[in-house]
Amino acid sequence: MPTLNPAPNALGLASPALGPWFRHDTPTTTPPELPPPAGDLSCTVSLVENMEWRTPAIATRSYFIATATRPSGLRRLHQENGSPAFTTGSLVVLLTLMPEAELRLWALTQPVAQPDGASAPAPNTPTRPRIRWFAGEIEASQVGS
């Protein structure tokens, strides 16, 4: 490998450390892989017994039951067609990113210069929507007693 000048570790760059999203006590159990998201940015994941879902970044965690009249923590979340998100009667685990995590993820969506010299979009022009929440919906029949 050729010597890089300056050395990458001398540039003062860092990347966010994302912890493992899933944990299981049995080392032979393979964690699930997240499939590509659907049009509404949702994806379905099946977890084996005793598999833990963990926050991908620093966040606060809230639990809600999606009732016909949505709890205040879920009222702002909608499907792409404008209807309320989540199936009525399901358990919703809502992760609200801490401001510094939200800002860091947003900064990572900024465009970078093109290697072919083409003009890049203006600075502070995100390439994706700003992420504030992650939510997991668990069907009522799957909630343990």
Side-chain angles (χ1 to χ4, degrees):
M1 178 173 196
T3 303
L4 299 176
N5 189 7
N9 62 356
L11 295 175
L13 301 175
S15 66
L18 295 179
W21 283 47
F22 302 98
R23 179 185 173 275
H24 196 278
D25 289 333
T26 308
T28 57
T29 302
T30 304
E33 291 186 18
L34 297 176
D40 62 357
L41 300 180
S42 68
C43 61
T44 301
V45 178
S46 296
L47 301 180
V48 298
E49 188 174 342
N50 296 324
M51 180 70 70
E52 295 177 5
W53 175 53
R54 297 189 165 186
T55 62
I58 187 168
T60 58
R61 181 175 42 204
S62 304
Y63 297 89
F64 299 97
I65 299 295
T67 55
T69 303
R70 294 292 192 248
S72 61
L74 298 181
R75 284 188 198 135
R76 63 184 167 262
L77 303 175
H78 295 84
Q79 296 183 44
E80 75 278 5
N81 64 6
S83 62
F86 316 113
T87 306
T88 299
S90 63
L91 170 67
V92 178
V93 181
L94 182 66
L95 303 176
T96 303
L97 292 175
M98 299 303 280
E100 60 272 19
E102 180 184 341
L103 181 61
R104 180 64 179 142
L105 287 174
W106 181 79
L108 289 171
T109 68
Q110 303 301 302
V112 295
Q114 302 293 319
D116 62 2
S119 60
N124 292 324
T125 305
T127 57
R128 296 184 178 174
R130 195 164 180 155
I131 299 169
R132 180 164 293 148
W133 301 284
F134 287 92
E137 179 178 7
I138 304 167
E139 295 176 17
S141 62
Q142 299 298 314
V143 176
S145 51

